[in-house]
Amino acid sequence: MNDGDTIDRFVKDPSLLVELCRGVIDQLDASSEDVAVVEQEAQLRAIAKAVEQLEKSDVTVPESLRAEKTRIAAALAVHSDAKQALAQLADEFQDILKDLRERLGQNTTNSEAKPRTKRSTLPKTPQSILRVHIIQALKTLGGRARVSDVIEQMTKQLDGKLLPGDNIWRDATNEPAWQNNAKWERFQMTQDGALRQGSPRGIWELGEDS
């Protein structure tokens, strides 16, 4: 099924689109629950401190301790990714809702509400291209790197190649559109295995298939 067929399906029955959106939100929400997060963060700090002390004392760190540290870090990373995705969806849906109301001729003016900037329709780099550059950047950086380092490397790779809409500023995430879109693509890549899911917070890492 191509993109045109998919859109036609939703046009014929918009409730399917609503159902799809709710399903995505429910799945993300299940990964973003705050239950035990504070406790996990405390456990991770304690384990990291214990590992550091053992290493400084030239004592062998039990593999079970390292494994538990990795497990907790992965769980917290999934939680953080899901929270970020939900926040992005909330921002995008506000724009969509505002646009729908304007198309329906409904008055959306609220003197107390902060005016929202209409989303730019200028051409932007496709997600598929950003994906290629994410993989290229990570390979250049050894397969694993901090988000800031990946973005910096991508900036070099995309020098002179960015499209007019790529540098539109996103107030919600305090960054240009292409960087925000790259982070969205990174999230998708963790879902399909191109990037490792559950890497430590703030770290992007190539998956086994990349």
PDB file of all heavy atoms in Angstrom, residues 9-20:
ATOM      1  N   ARG A   9      -7.607   6.117   2.414  1.00  0.00           N
ATOM      2  CA  ARG A   9      -8.295   5.298   3.423  1.00  0.00           C
ATOM      3  C   ARG A   9      -8.741   6.155   4.603  1.00  0.00           C
ATOM      4  O   ARG A   9      -9.854   6.018   5.105  1.00  0.00           O
ATOM      5  CB  ARG A   9      -7.338   4.197   3.885  1.00  0.00           C
ATOM      6  CG  ARG A   9      -7.880   3.272   4.956  1.00  0.00           C
ATOM      7  CD  ARG A   9      -6.989   2.050   5.068  1.00  0.00           C
ATOM      8  NE  ARG A   9      -7.282   1.269   6.246  1.00  0.00           N
ATOM      9  CZ  ARG A   9      -6.553   1.291   7.353  1.00  0.00           C
ATOM     10  NH1 ARG A   9      -5.475   2.058   7.405  1.00  0.00           N
ATOM     11  NH2 ARG A   9      -6.870   0.549   8.392  1.00  0.00           N
ATOM     12  N   PHE A  10      -7.866   7.069   5.031  1.00  0.00           N
ATOM     13  CA  PHE A  10      -8.211   7.939   6.153  1.00  0.00           C
ATOM     14  C   PHE A  10      -9.215   9.012   5.748  1.00  0.00           C
ATOM     15  O   PHE A  10     -10.029   9.445   6.564  1.00  0.00           O
ATOM     16  CB  PHE A  10      -6.951   8.595   6.724  1.00  0.00           C
ATOM     17  CG  PHE A  10      -6.029   7.626   7.418  1.00  0.00           C
ATOM     18  CD1 PHE A  10      -4.655   7.690   7.220  1.00  0.00           C
ATOM     19  CD2 PHE A  10      -6.531   6.656   8.268  1.00  0.00           C
ATOM     20  CE1 PHE A  10      -3.811   6.803   7.861  1.00  0.00           C
ATOM     21  CE2 PHE A  10      -5.697   5.759   8.914  1.00  0.00           C
ATOM     22  CZ  PHE A  10      -4.326   5.831   8.710  1.00  0.00           C
ATOM     23  N   VAL A  11      -9.149   9.450   4.486  1.00  0.00           N
ATOM     24  CA  VAL A  11     -10.109  10.446   3.999  1.00  0.00           C
ATOM     25  C   VAL A  11     -11.515   9.852   4.006  1.00  0.00           C
ATOM     26  O   VAL A  11     -12.491  10.512   4.381  1.00  0.00           O
ATOM     27  CB  VAL A  11      -9.726  10.912   2.577  1.00  0.00           C
ATOM     28  CG1 VAL A  11     -10.866  11.711   1.952  1.00  0.00           C
ATOM     29  CG2 VAL A  11      -8.462  11.766   2.619  1.00  0.00           C
ATOM     30  N   LYS A  12     -11.624   8.590   3.600  1.00  0.00           N
ATOM     31  CA  LYS A  12     -12.928   7.930   3.560  1.00  0.00           C
ATOM     32  C   LYS A  12     -13.476   7.671   4.961  1.00  0.00           C
ATOM     33  O   LYS A  12     -14.686   7.674   5.176  1.00  0.00           O
ATOM     34  CB  LYS A  12     -12.812   6.612   2.791  1.00  0.00           C
ATOM     35  CG  LYS A  12     -12.541   6.802   1.301  1.00  0.00           C
ATOM     36  CD  LYS A  12     -12.344   5.466   0.609  1.00  0.00           C
ATOM     37  CE  LYS A  12     -12.035   5.658  -0.878  1.00  0.00           C
ATOM     38  NZ  LYS A  12     -11.778   4.362  -1.558  1.00  0.00           N
ATOM     39  N   ASP A  13     -12.583   7.429   5.900  1.00  0.00           N
ATOM     40  CA  ASP A  13     -13.023   7.154   7.275  1.00  0.00           C
ATOM     41  C   ASP A  13     -12.046   7.803   8.255  1.00  0.00           C
ATOM     42  O   ASP A  13     -11.117   7.161   8.746  1.00  0.00           O
ATOM     43  CB  ASP A  13     -13.090   5.646   7.518  1.00  0.00           C
ATOM     44  CG  ASP A  13     -13.731   5.307   8.859  1.00  0.00           C
ATOM     45  OD1 ASP A  13     -14.026   6.245   9.630  1.00  0.00           O
ATOM     46  OD2 ASP A  13     -13.938   4.113   9.139  1.00  0.00           O
ATOM     47  N   PRO A  14     -12.237   9.104   8.563  1.00  0.00           N
ATOM     48  CA  PRO A  14     -11.328   9.820   9.463  1.00  0.00           C
ATOM     49  C   PRO A  14     -11.210   9.189  10.848  1.00  0.00           C
ATOM     50  O   PRO A  14     -10.210   9.386  11.537  1.00  0.00           O
ATOM     51  CB  PRO A  14     -11.955  11.216   9.554  1.00  0.00           C
ATOM     52  CG  PRO A  14     -12.731  11.364   8.285  1.00  0.00           C
ATOM     53  CD  PRO A  14     -13.276   9.997   8.011  1.00  0.00           C
ATOM     54  N   SER A  15     -12.226   8.420  11.241  1.00  0.00           N
ATOM     55  CA  SER A  15     -12.165   7.794  12.568  1.00  0.00           C
ATOM     56  C   SER A  15     -10.994   6.819  12.664  1.00  0.00           C
ATOM     57  O   SER A  15     -10.461   6.577  13.752  1.00  0.00           O
ATOM     58  CB  SER A  15     -13.474   7.062  12.871  1.00  0.00           C
ATOM     59  OG  SER A  15     -13.660   5.959  11.993  1.00  0.00           O
ATOM     60  N   LEU A  16     -10.574   6.271  11.517  1.00  0.00           N
ATOM     61  CA  LEU A  16      -9.420   5.370  11.516  1.00  0.00           C
ATOM     62  C   LEU A  16      -8.146   6.124  11.895  1.00  0.00           C
ATOM     63  O   LEU A  16      -7.280   5.590  12.589  1.00  0.00           O
ATOM     64  CB  LEU A  16      -9.249   4.727  10.135  1.00  0.00           C
ATOM     65  CG  LEU A  16     -10.344   3.755   9.687  1.00  0.00           C
ATOM     66  CD1 LEU A  16     -10.081   3.295   8.260  1.00  0.00           C
ATOM     67  CD2 LEU A  16     -10.405   2.556  10.631  1.00  0.00           C
ATOM     68  N   LEU A  17      -8.059   7.376  11.433  1.00  0.00           N
ATOM     69  CA  LEU A  17      -6.896   8.201  11.767  1.00  0.00           C
ATOM     70  C   LEU A  17      -6.890   8.530  13.254  1.00  0.00           C
ATOM     71  O   LEU A  17      -5.843   8.481  13.907  1.00  0.00           O
ATOM     72  CB  LEU A  17      -6.909   9.483  10.941  1.00  0.00           C
ATOM     73  CG  LEU A  17      -5.748  10.456  11.183  1.00  0.00           C
ATOM     74  CD1 LEU A  17      -4.412   9.779  10.925  1.00  0.00           C
ATOM     75  CD2 LEU A  17      -5.900  11.691  10.299  1.00  0.00           C
ATOM     76  N   VAL A  18      -8.071   8.854  13.779  1.00  0.00           N
ATOM     77  CA  VAL A  18      -8.181   9.142  15.213  1.00  0.00           C
ATOM     78  C   VAL A  18      -7.776   7.912  16.023  1.00  0.00           C
ATOM     79  O   VAL A  18      -7.034   8.006  17.004  1.00  0.00           O
ATOM     80  CB  VAL A  18      -9.621   9.564  15.573  1.00  0.00           C
ATOM     81  CG1 VAL A  18      -9.763   9.732  17.085  1.00  0.00           C
ATOM     82  CG2 VAL A  18      -9.989  10.856  14.858  1.00  0.00           C
ATOM     83  N   GLU A  19      -8.250   6.758  15.581  1.00  0.00           N
ATOM     84  CA  GLU A  19      -7.927   5.504  16.274  1.00  0.00           C
ATOM     85  C   GLU A  19      -6.424   5.232  16.233  1.00  0.00           C
ATOM     86  O   GLU A  19      -5.826   4.808  17.229  1.00  0.00           O
ATOM     87  CB  GLU A  19      -8.687   4.352  15.621  1.00  0.00           C
ATOM     88  CG  GLU A  19      -8.482   3.005  16.306  1.00  0.00           C
ATOM     89  CD  GLU A  19      -9.272   1.893  15.639  1.00  0.00           C
ATOM     90  OE1 GLU A  19     -10.182   2.205  14.838  1.00  0.00           O
ATOM     91  OE2 GLU A  19      -8.968   0.724  15.909  1.00  0.00           O
ATOM     92  N   LEU A  20      -5.816   5.501  15.073  1.00  0.00           N
ATOM     93  CA  LEU A  20      -4.371   5.299  14.933  1.00  0.00           C
ATOM     94  C   LEU A  20      -3.606   6.219  15.881  1.00  0.00           C
ATOM     95  O   LEU A  20      -2.671   5.792  16.567  1.00  0.00           O
ATOM     96  CB  LEU A  20      -3.954   5.559  13.491  1.00  0.00           C
ATOM     97  CG  LEU A  20      -2.442   5.516  13.205  1.00  0.00           C
ATOM     98  CD1 LEU A  20      -1.881   4.123  13.485  1.00  0.00           C
ATOM     99  CD2 LEU A  20      -2.159   5.923  11.762  1.00  0.00           C
TER     100      LEU A  20
END
